[in-house]
């Protein structure tokens, strides 16, 4: 009997994708046969980057990872998981507050989809302060206007997508 593929989903808004996200994807890709990055689509939420741009950024940053695929989906993560046969949900945690939140979400996901096992991965120490929110705030404040600012932004965003982040998220 052939063993079942271990398929995991890493879901989020990724607005934008950060070095912290990429670190989790690199580590998660080693644990699972397939890792699906699911870009959230929520009509009631205002994003800095379109779903198409977010998806393109992630595909560019993860292009060397052969077992990683990027999707967008308008609906519950557990519905997407059922549809693609995934049984694992990869979640990153930076601190105790993140863990409290993720445990609650994990319980709800398990209620909606009993086969769902949440796998919590601690952020690498160098990425504890990295978040999409911080990147968006830096962009809103004009950090991308000059080379020195873009060099600082490179500590938060994968090098492969920095030009896209600057182009699509820079000052309007």
């Amino acid at each position: 009997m052939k063993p079942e593929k271990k398929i995991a989903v890493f879901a989020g808004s990724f607005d934008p994708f950060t070095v912290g996200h990429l670190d989790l994807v690199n580590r998660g890709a080693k644990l699972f046969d397939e890792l699906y990055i699911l870009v959230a689509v929520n009509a009631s939420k205002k994003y800095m980057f379109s779903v198409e741009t977010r998806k393109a950024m992630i595909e560019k940053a993860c292009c060397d990872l052969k077992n990683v695929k990027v999707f967008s989906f308008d609906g519950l993560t557990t519905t997407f998981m059922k549809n693609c046969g995934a049984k694992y949900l990869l979640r990153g945690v930076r601190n105790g507050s993140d863990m409290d939140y993720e445990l609650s979400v994990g319980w709800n996901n398990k209620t909606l989809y009993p086969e769902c096992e949440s796998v919590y991965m601690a952020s690498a120490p160098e990425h504890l302060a990295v978040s999409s929110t911080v990147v968006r705030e830096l962009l809103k404040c004009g950090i991308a206007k000059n080379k020195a600012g873009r060099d600082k932004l490179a500590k938060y965003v994968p090098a492969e997508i920095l030009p896209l982040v600057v182009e699509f998220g820079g000052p309007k």
Side-chain angles (χ1 to χ4, degrees), residues 128-162:
L128 290 174
V130 174
S131 73
S132 295
T133 303
V134 168
V135 174
R136 287 192 308 273
E137 288 303 313
L138 291 171
L139 289 168
K140 287 176 189 172
C141 291
I143 195 169
K145 287 181 182 177
N146 58 55
K147 184 178 178 342
R150 289 188 295 276
D151 288 347
K152 289 177 183 166
L153 195 57
K155 294 182 184 341
Y156 296 89
V157 177
E160 302 86 353
I161 67 168
L162 183 60

Side-chain angles (χ1 to χ4, degrees), residues 60-123:
K60 188 170 181 87
C62 299
C63 66
D64 292 335
L65 300 169
K66 301 303 176 209
N67 65 333
V68 173
K69 295 180 182 123
V70 185
F71 299 90
S72 59
F73 183 72
D74 188 1
L76 294 172
T77 299
T78 52
T79 301
F80 177 84
M81 291 177 71
K82 286 179 200 175
N83 292 345
C84 70
K87 298 210 170 128
Y88 303 94
L89 184 62
L90 179 63
R91 302 300 296 166
V93 292
R94 292 173 290 205
N95 54 43
S97 297
D98 280 359
M99 194 68 211
D100 288 345
Y101 171 77
E102 292 298 341
L103 287 171
S104 173
V105 171
W107 182 87
N108 285 299
N109 287 333
K110 189 85 167 157
T111 299
L112 295 168
Y113 180 40
E115 292 85 357
C116 176
E117 290 296 337
S118 294
V119 177
Y120 305 103
M121 193 174 287
S123 291

